[in-house]
Every structure is written in structure tokens, then in C-alpha cells.
């Protein structure tokens, strides 16, 4: 099976692992048996594998609910890979050890976007992530805010803070966030007309 192949893949064979993870995403809900290994891959050193694992979990949907805590962690504390020498190193975005470079910042934003999208794909089964998604609406990266708004719309008004957070996002300085907030608000109110 693909799950066994992924577990047995050589650590150095990132492209094979990424391809298998992407296949799970294409399979969607029928790949529910891969949720434990996909959740584990959210902490992989290869950022593209982390993104692919998050996307696959979102495509699996509600059956990926067991991965919600790890997706919340990915949303809140993105790890990025950066190269200072021949050895790869991991830099935690909230460490006091210095500022990450621009590329690292982008990678971290991509991880947060992927996590938010996956949580939205899981839907109401990811209701525990609502406070973290609401907090992500304050992110400096507007794309993270767009994905967080979308995810809140898919998860639903599971806490009292969701609707007020979406209303506040209607006043975001970035037009994409405002548009996503309006779509989410309409979806939650059952009014999908423009």
C-alpha cells in the first residue's frame, strides 16, 4: 500500500515522499488510513512535504480530524528551513536567536496558509482550531489572513468569536481578506448570492 511505501521511503528521497503525499491528496477522503503518517509529515524538514501533507489532510476532510492538533501547531508555530552553511538548520519563528531572512518569512507564511487551508478542508471537525484561526486574522501576511477567513467560513460559527472576527475582517486593509470575509459571512448566514 502507499502508506507502507511512504513509511519505508528512504529519508533522502524527498521527491518520492512528496509524490506519494500528493497522491493521498488526490485520493481525498478514501485516503483516511494515511492520516497518521500525513500528520507526522507536518513536521518534516522539507517544506514542500509539509505543504503537501497539509493539503492532503484538507482533501481527506473530516476523517483527518485527528491531525487538527498538529495543524494548529503548524498554524501557530511554523518551522522553516534555511541554509547558512552545508548543514540544514531549523529556526523556530518565535526563537530569540535572530530574525529569519525574507525567504524564511515567506516559507513560514506558506506553512501557516497550508495549515489554515487544511483546517478549513476538515471543516466543522476542526472546531478546536477556531481560536487559532481567529488569532491568525492578525497575521502580518495577508495571505495567511485570507486562508484563515476561508477556514473559519468552512468550520462554521463554532465559538462566539467567529462571527465578530469575520465582521472585523470585513475592514481588513487588504481587499482579498475583505472579499474572503464577505464570502465566509454569506456562507455562514446561508446567503450565497453576491
Amino acid at each position: 500500500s502507499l502508506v507502507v511505501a511512504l513509511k519505508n521511503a528512504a529519508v533522502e528521497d524527498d521527491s518520492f515522499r512528496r509524490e506519494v503525499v500528493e497522491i493521498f491528496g488526490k485520493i481525498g477522503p478514501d485516503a483516511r488510513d494515511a492520516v497518521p503518517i500525513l500528520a507526522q509529515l507536518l513536521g518534516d524538514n522539507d517544506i514542500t512535504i509539509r505543504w503537501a501533507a497539509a493539503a492532503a489532510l484538507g482533501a481527506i476532510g473530516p476523517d483527518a480530524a485527528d491531525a487538527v492538533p498538529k495543524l494548529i501547531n503548524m498554524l501557530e508555530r511554523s518551522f522553516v528551513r534555511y541554509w547558512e552553511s552545508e548543514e540544514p538548520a531549523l529556526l523556530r519563528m518565535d526563537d530569540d536567536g535572530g530574525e529569519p531572512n525574507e525567504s524564511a518569512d515567506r516559507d513560514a507564511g506558506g506553512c501557516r496558509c497550508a495549515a489554515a487551508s487544511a483546517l478549513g478542508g476538515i471543516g466543522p471537525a476542526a472546531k478546536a482550531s477556531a481560536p487559532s484561526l481567529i488569532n491568525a486574522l492578525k497575521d502580518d501576511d495577508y495571505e495567511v489572513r485570507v486562508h484563515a477567513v476561508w477556514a473559519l467560513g468552512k468550520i462554521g460559527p463554532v465559538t462566539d468569536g467567529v462571527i465578530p472576527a469575520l465582521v472585523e475582517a470585513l475592514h481588513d486593509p487588504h481587499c482579498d481578506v475583505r472579499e474572503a470575509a464577505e464570502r465566509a459571512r454569506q456562507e455562514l448566514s446561508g446567503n450565497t448570492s453576491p
Side-chain angles (χ1 to χ4, degrees):
S1 89
L2 285 174
V3 174
V4 173
L6 186 56
K7 285 180 182 176
N8 295 332
V11 173
E12 296 85 28
D13 197 353
D14 288 343
S15 79
F16 173 76
R17 292 184 310 130
R18 186 173 33 262
E19 287 177 29
V20 172
V21 170
E22 289 171 353
I23 289 169
F24 287 132
K26 291 176 184 170
I27 293 171
D30 289 336
R32 68 185 61 81
D33 292 342
V35 168
I37 188 80
L38 291 170
Q40 180 181 345
L41 290 173
L42 293 173
D44 196 86
N45 283 340
D46 185 321
I47 195 164
T48 62
I49 291 175
R50 291 196 307 266
W51 290 344
L57 290 164
I60 291 170
D63 287 333
D66 289 346
V68 167
K70 289 190 177 190
L71 286 164
I72 291 170
N73 188 51
M74 186 175 176
L75 177 66
E76 293 177 346
R77 291 191 176 95
S78 292
F79 287 85
V80 294
R81 179 177 237 174
Y82 71 101
W83 301 91
E84 238 176 31
S85 64
E86 294 177 18
E87 294 291 337
L90 290 176
L91 171 69
R92 187 177 220 150
M93 296 303 291
D94 56 357
D95 275 353
D96 294 324
E99 291 297 314
N101 61 36
E102 186 177 322
S103 173
D105 242 356
R106 241 189 336 271
D107 290 348
C111 283
R112 292 191 306 276
C113 288
S117 289
L119 292 164
I122 294 170
K127 65 184 177 185
S129 68
S132 297
L133 288 165
I134 290 169
N135 192 47
L137 296 178
K138 298 175 187 122
D139 198 288
D140 290 338
D141 186 334
Y142 84 90
E143 291 177 334
V144 173
R145 297 192 309 270
V146 168
H147 285 86
V149 164
W150 177 84
L152 286 168
K154 295 299 179 187
I155 291 170
V158 294
T159 69
D160 291 339
V162 170
I163 300 298
L166 291 175
V167 170
E168 187 175 329
L170 292 169
H171 304 289
D172 190 275
H174 201 281
C175 65
D176 290 352
V177 177
R178 292 190 305 268
E179 290 171 11
E182 180 58 27
R183 283 192 302 274
R185 188 195 63 73
Q186 288 176 353
E187 189 171 316
L188 291 177
S189 69
N191 177 11
T192 55
S193 61

